[in-house]
């Protein structure tokens, strides 16, 4: 089977967030932003929240992860003030 790179969509209906693309990382950005939001909303102490976000920041800033996420890294960090 030869992959021509073409994707055909006859009918598309969405009642919420939808993503159509090829090799994009929008879902990863949304997942990380949602994770940060859930950390903020949690019943954890402020110290625990700060520690969790700090560890997440270290993960996002790791050279390998940073390379894979590309420009998304800056957008995520700036949106959450990390």
């Amino acid at each position: 089977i030869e992959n021509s790179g073409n994707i055909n969509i006859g009918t598309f209906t969405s009642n919420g967030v939808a993503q159509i693309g090829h090799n994009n990382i929008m879902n990863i950005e949304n997942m990380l932003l949602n994770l940060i939001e859930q950390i903020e909303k949690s019943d954890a102490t402020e110290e625990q929240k700060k520690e969790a976000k700090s560890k997440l920041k270290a993960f996002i800033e790791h050279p390998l992860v940073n390379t894979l996420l590309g420009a998304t890294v800056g957008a995520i960090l700036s949106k959450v003030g990390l």
Side-chain angles (χ1 to χ4, degrees):
I1 299 175
E2 185 178 321
N3 182 356
S4 67
N6 294 329
I7 299 172
N8 296 313
I9 300 174
T11 301
F12 178 79
T13 304
S14 173
N15 292 324
V17 175
Q19 176 181 343
I20 299 173
H22 208 56
N23 296 324
N24 54 42
I25 57 173
M26 189 175 193
N27 284 338
I28 294 171
E29 180 179 351
N30 289 337
M31 183 272 308
L32 290 170
L33 291 172
N34 185 288
L35 177 60
I36 294 165
E37 182 180 326
Q38 294 304 314
I39 291 170
E40 286 297 323
K41 289 181 177 179
S42 74
D43 291 335
T45 66
E46 288 303 315
E47 183 178 323
Q48 291 171 323
K49 291 177 187 182
K50 184 176 179 180
E51 179 184 2
K53 290 190 297 183
S54 176
K55 289 184 179 196
L56 182 59
K57 179 182 179 186
F59 168 73
I60 292 170
E61 290 178 335
H62 185 278
L64 177 59
V65 176
N66 193 303
T67 298
L68 295 172
L69 294 179
T72 300
V73 171
I76 294 168
L77 296 178
S78 67
K79 288 181 182 177
V80 296
L82 293 177

